[in-house]
Amino acid sequence: MTSTLEPSRKGSAVVRPGDRIFAGLSTGAGLAILVVLAGVAAFLTIEGIPGITASPDEVKSGKAFLPFVWPLVYGTLLAAVIALLIAVPVAIGVALFISHYSPRRLGQLLGYLVDLLAAVPSVVYGLWGIQFLAPNMAPAYKWLEDNLGFIPFFAGPAASGGRTILTVSIVLAVMILPIMTAICREIFLQTPRLHEEAALALGATRWEMARLAIFPYARSGIVSAAMLGLGRALGETLAVAMVLSVGVGSTVTANLISNDNPNTIAANIALIFPEASGLTVNALIASGLVLFVITFLVNFAARAIVDRRKEFSGAN
Amino acid sequence: MNRKNLRIAAPAAMLALALGLSACGAGNEDSEGASPASGETVSGTLNGAGATSQEAAIAAWKKGFQTANPDVTVNYDPSGSGGGREQFIAGGVTFAGSDSYLDDDEVAAAAEKCGSDIVQVPVYVSPIAVIYNLDGVDELNLSANTIGQIFEGKITKWNDAAIVADNPDADLPDSDITPVHRSDDSGTTKNFTDYLDQASEGGWTGGVVETWPVKGGEGANGTSGLVAAVKGGSGSIGYADESQAGELGKVHVKVGEEYTEPTPEAAAKVLDTAAPVEGRAATDLAVDIDRKTTEAGVYPIVLVSYQIACQTYEDAATADLVKAWLTYVAGSEGQEAAASTAGSAALSDAFSEKVLAAIETIKAA
Amino acid sequence: MTTTLSSRNRDSGPVDIHEELYGAQLPSWAAKAVIGAGVLIGLALYLLGVNLVLAALVVFVVSLALPAWSVAVEGRRKATDRLVTVLVTSSFVLAMFPLVSILYTVISNGARVLSAEFFTYSMRNVVGEGGGIYHATIGTLLITGGAAVISIPIGLFAAIYLVEYADGNRLSRWIRFLVDVMTGIPSIVAGLFAYALFVLFFGEGVRLGVGGSVALAVLMIPVVVRSTEEMLKLVPNELREASYALGVPKWRTVAKVVLPTALAGIVTGITLAVARVIGETAPLLIIAGMTDSVNFNLFDGRMATLPVFTYSSVRSPGIPPEFSIDRAWGAALTLLVIVMLLNLVARLVSYFFSPKGER
């Protein structure tokens, strides 16, 4: 990004109006984003602060803000992280399959199919989760409880309906798969053909070519895709609210297969908001602020990783 | 050159498409009957918000009302009772639907906004069925105490002595009970726990709440989610609007010495035995339901949902519109429409009269 | 990285030139045979009543025989390659399971209700059977179109700023970071934000289609910026430098060289962004509301949209519930078809406008 040779910065005195307008527009757009985000943040903060400072008996949960929000934070991170763990390898695999392993025509068709799924409304994912996935997962949970019950994740008692946080994570993984796959695919396709052919010409197998030519080039893009996916998983509302069997009160448990699950922040907002009034609303908005902060931190970490690796990136 | 043309053509084509679409209204809207049923019609847009429970009934009411008054559009945001009450008090909507009546503070705030008393009338009464999914058991009788203990997790097996005592003839299996509750805050939960709290004689200790208070069991979002969860599980039991129970078994609830089936007729009788809330204006028909009734044929687990409006409005058009709407909704025609499409219980004639009298007082300031 | 062009065969009989050049190889039918055997076994198990998931697992395990065989014959490198091929292919198949299952559910349930009436009728004065989604389709197109009109210019120019103008300065680092943060705004919060914003101007209880556009734009912008930025970054610097060398001013370089080169990717990104928001329910529920009638004016009153329509049809179906649930599936399918068409348009755009290159 840095070492581009810029034409006539100094030197020649010609400053074209087109350039000035274009630069102005671009900078303006960047600033507009700052303004929008500042607006959202200001809104969340102003509306949220009364909820944070509210005393326990003024809000419906009957708890101070931290005990109220902590299980939700835990649930949100748990569901999103599991979803990401499932989705990232699969998305890379699918993208690689479409871009480099499948015949080209087929690849285009499949890419098209995957793109379509990004548009399925979350309600449909929710319905699918309840009607199809959860009942089919229930026997698996029973099996996990019986055979792997000594691992805290599968301690049970297994949910007979299968609507556990693990099921939710799978639904989330499926939901974020299309967008992640699409981005990874585009990035993989952009790998300079010369790099790939050079690798192959040196005798690399297809996998070695992927490792040597594609991945270094695509790393920042993959991280971007993962962040977009994570963002969606963290903020997904209705699908989680429909599928998850929410535990009562402050459930913080490593158990992934029981009926007693920690809720996520976004789903909790959807469940409680309609019947909420007064300071409870503020507390919910404050929980939205917390979600905001979480995303902030996660992205911070991701940025740090990408930046540290920048020198290896093939891009520019 | 060619490219440039295309580049301009593409958005233009899209615009043309959009305009083309916008040129025609919906097929069923322009053919609307020009001859209203009665001579006097109202016009305008009426916006309401509130309880999701009324949504299906409101669809029926809208149809009837808008057919009779073709120039009217009624909108209802099913944003939840709390949201509806809040928006009404803030002046965001003209009327609100709510599963629980305004408390004294809210009444004061609403009256201030209206500049008059409020009109608060129960218009939607729906039986809440205790639904279950248990193979081989077609009929199940339970007392309030047993239901309370099941939902609190004290009774965990279908062949528990307490259940057997209510069902001597049934073939009850030795399997686990999975109680399913609403994970969202809802008026249904509030009415159900109110029943358990009043009638279960210590079987239920969770109090009257909108948020489910007891750990264990399965949570499900919304009536449809809950019904799906009960259907999907085995040995599960839950509570939902009777009309949405479908083919699931419905518990016969012990009232007095008999077991009463959840039917709209049995539910409608509840209002006649209910006590008016004290200290309210004459146009405020809020009632406290007597869940402990022992009267035969009364089904005590009902959801009573209100519509709330101002008694006076600034302009006459709005006042007329609200009055016409509520009169239609609470009248026999509206109540029957709701009963047939939403499975609610029609108000009894005696109660309907009281409601209509309150609505009659709506006027322009 | 040991070479297999080895002395292994030197003293044994006639030398196989092919093997000498390429090292020992599995017969060309090996992959087909192993996978085929796996699929057959899996199919047989499935037909015998074994769980579908379990059967699929068996296919996978059998397929692993291929790299195992390869390790014995071809050596580690080739085996790794084959293992990865199996993994990549099975991850694809794995992903196709839920995706196809969802598509199938939507199509099979939705196709039943599609009819001319379904697309041209609104839900005004309809209870029970009949009615349609004309009003919701219009609402979805207008609101999403509005969101695109707001977010595409902002997103595109912001990405151009980040890649072409910012030079990695402090502001650009902030913008980039904040865009990342924006991707994490929960959709319901975007809805609340739009609502709070419009309440400032129109007072309590405001319901506007354009509010929905704003909420969706908040969700769309980061996706547009992020994907566009990635695509712009992939445009080789040689192209820019060549353009500068010809004396083309910077803005024309960006508009005529950089953007067209990255066009396919940018269009895909925008399509994805639209697809991402077109199915959003929660924010539209708050700010755009719901109505049964057609509304063409983004700036006046409530607007129905397909996702909200789907949600409310499922949530309060009335009795009998079938008609309403069917309509919900029909609406979901319509949404899918809209996005499909959008995708098609995007493909055509990138096909016609992208510079013809090696790809």
Side-chain angles (χ1 to χ4, degrees):
Chain A
M1 246 163 308
T2 42
S3 59
T4 313
L5 289 171
E6 304 253 326
S8 60
R9 260 264 162 100
K10 296 162 202 145
S12 105
V14 190
V15 179
R16 298 178 184 82
D19 259 343
R20 209 180 277 160
I21 293 170
F22 214 73
L25 276 177
S26 305
T27 318
L31 290 175
I33 288 179
L34 291 188
V35 170
V36 170
L37 206 78
V40 175
F43 155 73
L44 285 174
T45 315
I46 292 168
E47 294 281 315
I49 281 177
I52 296 176
T53 54
S55 73
D57 42 324
E58 283 174 307
V59 292
K60 214 188 243 170
S61 61
K63 280 187 236 145
F65 187 69
L66 270 184
F68 159 71
V69 85
W70 155 238
L72 297 175
V73 171
Y74 174 78
T76 308
L77 289 177
L78 185 65
V81 166
I82 298 176
L84 210 61
L85 285 180
I86 300 172
V88 167
V90 176
I92 293 177
V94 174
L96 209 55
F97 182 82
I98 292 173
S99 67
H100 284 81
Y101 278 75
S102 71
R104 224 184 109 192
R105 293 244 156 235
L106 183 68
Q108 279 176 346
L109 188 78
L110 295 173
Y112 192 66
L113 198 69
V114 171
D115 283 358
L116 264 191
L117 283 148
V120 176
S122 39
V123 182
V124 172
Y125 281 104
L127 284 176
W128 178 77
I130 297 178
Q131 292 177 352
F132 181 82
L133 187 63
N136 281 320
M137 290 302 288
Y141 293 147
K142 189 79 197 142
W143 185 86
L144 285 174
E145 183 198 356
D146 292 344
N147 295 286
L148 297 172
F150 56 90
I151 305 173
F153 294 140
F154 307 125
S160 66
R163 301 185 307 115
T164 69
I165 194 132
L166 191 53
T167 307
V168 166
S169 299
I170 296 174
V171 172
L172 287 177
V174 175
M175 290 182 78
I176 62 180
L177 203 54
I179 199 160
M180 288 172 57
T181 306
I183 294 176
C184 287
R185 184 191 69 216
E186 286 304 320
I187 306 273
F188 290 168
L189 282 173
Q190 298 284 347
T191 314
R193 187 52 69 83
L194 284 176
H195 293 196
E196 294 172 21
E197 281 166 0
L200 290 174
L202 289 172
T205 61
R206 197 149 49 162
W207 162 239
E208 284 159 355
M209 181 270 284
R211 239 183 37 201
L212 295 172
I214 302 178
F215 288 161
Y217 190 76
R219 183 172 285 118
S220 131
I222 294 175
V223 173
S224 282
M227 284 306 111
L228 274 179
L230 185 66
R232 183 151 194 205
L234 285 172
E236 178 48 43
T237 312
L238 284 173
V240 177
M242 286 170 82
V243 174
L244 188 63
S245 167
V246 179
V248 170
S250 52
T251 310
V252 176
T253 168
N255 193 342
L256 300 179
I257 58 166
S258 79
N259 268 329
D260 212 10
N261 299 295
N263 204 352
T264 72
I265 291 177
N268 185 62
I269 294 178
L271 291 177
I272 309 299
F273 193 80
E275 298 291 324
S277 58
L279 280 170
T280 309
V281 174
N282 297 110
L284 289 176
I285 293 178
S287 72
L289 182 64
V290 172
L291 183 53
F292 205 65
V293 173
I294 293 175
T295 327
F296 210 82
L297 296 176
V298 169
N299 278 299
F300 200 74
R303 264 291 158 201
I305 294 170
V306 176
D307 284 350
R308 214 181 49 205
R309 298 261 189 168
K310 208 194 238 154
E311 58 266 40
F312 302 117
S313 161
N316 279 345
Chain B
M1 211 50 210
N2 189 20
R3 250 189 213 171
K4 199 165 225 165
N5 286 343
L6 254 175
R7 209 168 297 187
I8 296 163
M14 278 180 190
L15 196 69
L17 192 70
L19 286 176
L21 275 175
S22 58
C24 49
N28 56 329
E29 282 186 31
D30 38 26
S31 64
E32 222 118 46
S35 54
S38 61
E40 211 174 312
T41 64
V42 286
S43 61
T45 301
L46 181 61
N47 292 325
T52 49
S53 56
Q54 293 187 30
E55 206 178 358
I58 287 208
W61 290 329
K62 270 198 279 198
K63 178 190 177 186
F65 191 63
Q66 289 175 166
T67 309
N69 305 282
D71 296 333
V72 170
T73 298
V74 179
N75 295 309
Y76 183 77
D77 287 334
S79 56
S81 301
R85 293 199 296 267
E86 200 152 277
Q87 284 192 43
F88 177 72
I89 292 168
V93 288
T94 319
F95 76 95
S98 174
D99 289 343
S100 51
Y101 54 78
L102 299 185
D103 64 28
D104 291 344
D105 293 342
E106 286 170 327
V107 167
E112 193 179 338
K113 183 82 193 174
C114 286
S116 66
D117 282 335
I118 59 163
V119 174
Q120 175 163 256
V121 289
V123 293
Y124 177 81
V125 179
S126 172
I128 299 170
V130 180
I131 52 178
Y132 66 95
N133 180 6
L134 185 61
D135 285 340
V137 180
D138 298 330
E139 206 177 301
L140 190 66
N141 298 326
L142 292 175
S143 69
N145 182 283
T146 314
I147 297 175
Q149 291 196 51
I150 289 174
F151 277 95
E152 207 161 276
K154 287 183 211 143
I155 294 178
T156 57
K157 292 278 185 191
W158 278 109
N159 62 351
D160 189 280
I163 303 180
V164 172
D166 283 333
N167 303 279
D169 303 329
D171 182 20
L172 293 163
D174 177 29
S175 58
D176 289 332
I177 303 178
T178 309
V180 185
H181 59 82
R182 289 281 287 272
S183 56
D184 52 335
D185 282 6
S186 86
T188 311
T189 301
K190 192 169 183 179
N191 280 281
F192 182 62
T193 52
D194 184 35
Y195 161 74
L196 292 178
D197 188 60
Q198 284 190 35
S200 72
E201 294 157 350
W204 171 257
T205 55
V208 186
V209 288
E210 279 182 355
T211 314
W212 190 256
V214 186
K215 261 187 188 295
E218 204 176 321
N221 178 21
T223 301
S224 47
L226 192 140
V227 171
V230 172
K231 243 182 220 162
S234 62
S236 43
I237 187 168
Y239 54 94
D241 287 341
E242 189 265 343
S243 58
Q244 296 303 321
E247 287 149 22
L248 289 168
K250 296 170 203 162
V251 170
H252 294 205
V253 173
K254 192 172 190 182
V255 178
E257 287 309 307
E258 286 178 39
Y259 295 95
T260 311
E261 203 182 345
T263 59
E265 297 74 37
K269 291 183 186 160
V270 158
L271 273 186
D272 298 327
T273 62
V277 178
E278 284 174 22
R280 293 295 173 102
T283 53
D284 187 341
L285 297 181
V287 292
D288 283 322
I289 297 159
D290 177 21
R291 313 276 187 186
K292 282 187 290 193
T293 179
T294 55
E295 209 169 303
V298 175
Y299 185 79
I301 320 178
V302 298
L303 170 100
V304 174
S305 197
Y306 297 83
Q307 283 192 6
I308 303 157
C310 292
Q311 195 180 12
T312 62
Y313 285 92
E314 301 253 311
D315 64 309
T318 311
D320 287 345
L321 188 57
V322 173
K323 193 168 163 182
W325 163 256
L326 285 176
T327 307
Y328 170 78
V329 164
S332 59
E333 206 184 323
Q335 287 295 307
E336 271 160 31
S340 64
T341 58
S344 66
L347 298 176
S348 67
D349 289 343
F351 201 85
S352 179
E353 227 162 83
K354 274 201 277 184
V355 170
L356 289 172
I359 294 167
E360 196 56 36
T361 63
I362 295 175
K363 59 182 188 295
Chain C
M1 293 273 175
T2 54
T3 167
T4 42
L5 201 67
S6 65
S7 56
R8 199 149 31 102
N9 295 320
R10 209 153 274 178
D11 22 278
S12 63
V15 175
D16 183 337
I17 295 286
H18 188 265
E19 187 164 334
E20 190 69 22
L21 269 178
Y22 294 99
Q25 274 190 319
L26 289 182
S28 58
W29 45 263
K32 277 178 196 148
V34 171
I35 308 275
V39 170
L40 278 181
I41 296 175
L43 205 64
L45 283 174
Y46 180 61
L47 291 177
L48 287 173
V50 176
N51 189 309
L52 180 65
V53 178
L54 220 59
L57 210 64
V58 169
V59 179
F60 176 68
V61 171
V62 173
S63 308
L64 285 182
L66 188 64
W69 186 6
S70 168
V71 112
V73 180
E74 296 176 319
R76 215 172 45 81
R77 281 179 59 216
K78 284 263 173 71
T80 315
D81 186 46
R82 288 197 189 266
L83 176 68
V84 172
T85 306
V86 169
L87 286 179
V88 163
T89 312
S90 24
S91 76
F92 175 76
V93 175
L94 178 72
M96 280 298 131
F97 260 114
L99 300 185
V100 168
S101 141
I102 286 174
L103 270 189
Y104 174 78
T105 319
V106 173
I107 293 173
S108 65
N109 284 316
R112 272 181 306 174
V113 290
L114 301 190
S115 65
E117 183 186 319
F118 188 68
F119 288 114
T120 52
Y121 274 38
S122 70
M123 285 303 291
R124 189 178 163 92
N125 297 348
V126 175
V127 167
E129 205 176 354
I133 54 164
Y134 184 66
H135 59 312
T137 313
I138 295 291
T140 284
L141 291 179
L142 288 176
I143 289 180
T144 315
V149 166
I150 300 170
S151 59
I152 292 176
I154 294 184
L156 212 56
F157 275 110
I160 291 173
Y161 174 76
L162 289 179
V163 178
E164 307 291 337
Y165 286 92
D167 247 351
N169 63 16
R170 186 176 296 240
L171 178 65
S172 78
R173 283 204 301 274
W174 268 104
I175 292 176
R176 198 169 283 135
F177 177 62
L178 291 175
V179 165
D180 283 353
V181 173
M182 259 179 108
T183 62
I185 295 178
S187 53
I188 199 164
V189 169
L192 291 171
F193 164 70
Y195 180 72
L197 185 70
F198 279 84
V199 163
L200 288 181
F201 301 114
F202 297 96
E204 277 296 327
V206 58
R207 294 286 187 282
L208 286 179
V210 70
S213 296
V214 169
L216 294 187
V218 170
L219 297 170
M220 246 182 101
I221 288 174
V223 186
V224 176
V225 178
R226 252 337 207 140
S227 53
T228 308
E229 189 198 345
E230 291 300 335
M231 296 308 150
L232 291 181
K233 277 203 300 202
L234 293 178
V235 174
N237 264 341
E238 290 84 346
L239 285 181
R240 296 188 181 91
E241 281 157 15
S243 172
Y244 294 152
L246 292 172
V248 180
K250 182 161 187 172
W251 74 275
R252 281 188 74 88
T253 304
V254 172
K256 294 283 172 184
V257 175
V258 178
L259 283 181
T261 309
L263 189 72
I266 293 175
V267 170
T268 306
I270 289 173
T271 319
L272 269 176
V274 172
R276 155 89 174 78
V277 298
I278 203 170
E280 277 297 345
T281 316
L284 296 179
L285 206 56
I286 294 174
I287 177 71
M290 181 67 196
T291 173
D292 292 338
S293 313
V294 180
N295 177 6
F296 286 110
N297 191 346
L298 274 175
F299 298 92
D300 180 36
R302 281 143 227 269
M303 257 187 172
T305 48
L306 288 169
V308 175
F309 177 83
T310 309
Y311 182 60
S312 67
S313 301
V314 168
R315 196 187 43 199
S316 326
I319 54 172
E322 294 85 45
F323 301 124
S324 186
I325 305 277
D326 281 352
R327 279 196 295 266
W329 285 115
L333 179 58
T334 309
L335 200 57
L336 216 62
V337 172
I338 291 177
V339 173
M340 200 170 77
L341 294 177
L342 208 69
N343 256 313
L344 209 64
V345 171
R347 302 266 151 145
L348 289 178
V349 166
S350 43
Y351 178 77
F352 280 116
F353 295 146
S354 285
K356 306 287 175 286
E358 45 180 336
R359 265 179 248 280

